[in-house]
Amino acid sequence: MRIQIIGGSGTGKSTFGRWIGQQEGIHWIDTDHYLWKDQTFTEKRSIAERYALFTPDIERHHRYVVSGSIFS
């Protein structure tokens, strides 16, 4: 099972994604981890950096739920 949740900022994607992960016992991936360089959400990583961080995580887990946007 692979699920991707997309939507506008502040609409509950992360909360919903975390909940699905817990209910289904699958890995939850929050794309803010890949998109932003810091916790203030002011400086984005390059697309190449995002791919480099994101790709190993989705290859490591065959079942996951992803919430958010990571690419342009």
Side-chain angles (χ1 to χ4, degrees), residues 2 27 29 33-34 47-64 66 70-71:
R2 295 179 182 153
H27 186 70
I29 298 172
H33 168 75
Y34 311 105
I47 291 176
E49 289 175 301
R50 296 175 214 174
Y51 269 114
L53 293 169
F54 184 66
T55 301
D57 283 349
I58 62 170
E59 289 175 348
R60 184 176 21 254
H61 302 281
H62 297 286
R63 296 170 19 112
Y64 55 82
V66 177
I70 188 168
F71 304 108

Side-chain angles (χ1 to χ4, degrees), residues 14-41:
S14 295
T15 300
F16 187 49
R18 183 175 35 249
W19 182 82
I20 290 172
Q22 291 169 346
Q23 296 301 308
E24 296 296 322
I26 61 177
H27 186 70
W28 168 57
I29 298 172
D30 181 5
T31 60
D32 282 346
H33 168 75
Y34 311 105
L35 181 60
W36 301 104
K37 288 187 175 185
D38 57 13
Q39 294 298 311
T40 61
F41 308 114

